[in-house]
Amino acid sequence: MSKKFICHAAELVTCRGKAPKYGKEMSDIGLIEDGAVLIEDDKIVAVGTTEELSSRFNLSGCEVIDATGKTVLPGFVDSHTHFVFGGYRADEFSWRLRGDSYMSIMERGGGINASVTKTRNATMEELVAEGKDRLARMLEFGVTTVEGKSGYGLDKETELKQLRAMKELGKLQPVDIVSTFLGPHSVLPEYKGREREFIDMMLHEVMPQVRAEDLAEFADIFTEKNVFSVEDSRYYLNEAKKMGFKLKIHADEMVQLGGAELAAEVGAFSADHLLKASDQGIADMAKAGAICTVLPATAFCLKEEFARARKMIDEGAAVAVASDLNPGSCFTNSIPLLIALSCIYMGLSVEEVITALTINGAAAVDRADRVGSLEPGKQADIIFLKYPSIHFLPYHTAINLVEKVMKNGEIVLEK
Ligand code: NIG
Ligand code: FE
């Protein structure tokens, strides 16, 4: 058995809990000064002050990791990404800088459909190689669990190829991957006006295979004007639920359609984006306990107004913050950028954004029982920051402070 003792952390953030934190609870991150963590193999055995643990446990034979002057936190959970895709769309970014809108580029054949062509043309090996590199970049930012979606295939073969690539990646590198099926991500021209047929094709021809190979836990849909309506989304999500999928929704991103209300109605784990979510939608989500996943880097890159995360928390909702890494609307997985935008533009405190990136992110991907906090029984997924306080996270603006990452009890990255 391997035993490790992390000690003398200037600030140890526990985020203790096995469920999402709602409203005011998001401010309670369980901070311990001169903190320590005892680890056996891949699991946390005890958390407390260095003095407490030193007196309670026999530490002989432990590998000691001195965290003097450092902040120690649970590994971050990036609970919404599209990190497996073929090709890039740098041209679209320059068009947007010129003033074109995301939806107008999509309507003239660019956007998601452009990535569909490139992803169909990519081999499984290429998707795995690129995906592996992206996961390594995430780990540098302290991300130890990530959600990834399909949705750049829109046909059986390519949707399965994306999901199989993610399954393979789970075996090749340390970051844990939670997979989401997002077949209804866009409508190809041949399906315009026949969206329900497209959804039925996904439900009957693709998703049974996804279940059979255990390729995705969640089902997601892009509910948006000129993409999938609320009625089609309701139908898809309810059918997916019957098949055993947990639910997520890309909701109220560009137009207020009622995606947040739908998330509450169908019992989704989360609704994501929510830039235009209505007061009613936010209230419904808070009442239903569904997690509001906000993606501030996407709003930033699209020059859209940020989601009303402050209001969501004040209304008692649980908020998660995630990157949305994808080849179009948001080609960044920068956690420091997310922290800066959350604190400076969305009005979150440092404590709230830490909760949003740890235990609430874990809850949004149904992993709050095993990651997202530092407490006995959980996976030893732990990150070490260069500075002695959480307050350096927004203050050293958009700079990566992660010096060391432990995954399942092993140091997997050290600067
Ligand atoms: O979450 N909004 C829909 N889907 C993605 C964008 C995908 C893309 O532009 O390729 C998102 O932002
Ligand atoms: Fe997305």
Side-chain angles (χ1 to χ4, degrees), residues 221-282:
I221 184 165
F222 188 15
T223 305
E224 185 59 59
K225 187 176 172 214
N226 290 334
V227 192
F228 293 101
S229 66
V230 169
E231 295 70 45
D232 285 344
S233 302
R234 177 182 289 113
Y235 168 72
Y236 165 77
L237 292 164
N238 281 323
E239 292 300 312
K241 184 153 72 175
K242 285 184 213 156
M243 297 175 74
F245 288 93
K246 302 166 209 173
L247 308 179
K248 290 183 171 290
I249 313 183
H250 279 66
D252 299 320
E253 181 181 0
M254 314 288 175
V255 177
Q256 187 180 99
L257 285 192
E261 290 87 333
L262 179 64
E265 177 195 318
V266 298
F269 267 70
S270 70
D272 304 36
H273 285 290
L274 302 171
L275 307 189
K276 305 282 176 357
S278 69
D279 290 353
Q280 187 62 52
I282 293 172

Side-chain angles (χ1 to χ4, degrees), residues 332-363:
T332 178
N333 58 285
S334 169
I335 300 293
L337 175 64
L338 296 180
I339 293 172
L341 297 174
S342 299
C343 292
I344 300 169
Y345 288 113
M346 294 199 305
L348 267 59
S349 67
V350 192
E351 289 83 0
E352 287 167 335
V353 77
I354 288 172
T355 299
L357 282 165
T358 55
I359 188 68
N360 281 8

Side-chain angles (χ1 to χ4, degrees), residues 14 17 26 28 37 39-40 104 141 145 205 289 302 311 333 371 394:
T14 66
M26 286 187 66
D28 178 13
V37 186
I39 296 148
E40 270 179 26
S104 75
F141 286 121
T145 299
E205 289 170 34
L302 296 179
K311 179 178 171 65
N333 58 285
V371 299

Side-chain angles (χ1 to χ4, degrees), residues 103-221:
M103 290 312 275
S104 75
I105 293 170
M106 188 166 178
E107 274 149 30
R108 61 174 200 254
I112 295 167
N113 291 353
S115 287
V116 168
T117 309
K118 296 173 208 265
T119 307
R120 286 180 177 179
N121 290 336
T123 64
M124 166 90 171
E125 290 68 35
E126 286 165 344
L127 293 182
V128 169
E130 286 291 317
K132 193 169 168 214
D133 188 57
R134 285 176 202 134
L135 290 162
R137 302 285 88 77
M138 293 181 199
L139 190 70
E140 286 170 11
F141 286 121
V143 171
T144 47
T145 299
V146 67
E147 184 259 16
K149 303 175 196 289
S150 68
Y152 292 119
L154 312 186
D155 63 11
K156 181 171 182 176
E157 191 190 326
T158 318
E159 289 294 315
L160 293 175
K161 182 171 69 180
Q162 273 191 280
L163 294 172
R164 288 177 186 141
M166 277 191 263
K167 191 166 188 173
E168 182 62 21
L169 282 163
K171 301 176 204 152
L172 295 179
Q173 52 73 55
V175 179
D176 280 330
I177 301 169
V178 180
S179 294
T180 296
F181 176 76
L182 176 57
H185 191 199
S186 178
V187 185
L188 288 171
E190 56 268 36
Y191 276 106
K192 263 280 166 233
R194 298 193 295 131
E195 288 79 9
R196 189 58 77 100
E197 259 176 73
F198 176 77
I199 288 175
D200 276 325
M201 187 270 284
M202 288 289 159
L203 285 168
H204 301 130
E205 289 170 34
V206 187
M207 292 166 81
Q209 188 65 28
V210 173
R211 293 305 295 164
E213 289 182 47
D214 196 17
L215 291 174
E217 267 173 66
F218 285 86
D220 194 347
I221 184 165

Side-chain angles (χ1 to χ4, degrees), residues 275 295-307:
L275 307 189
L295 311 166
T298 308
F300 183 61
C301 291
L302 296 179
K303 295 204 262 183
E304 294 283 340
E305 268 184 45
F306 293 89

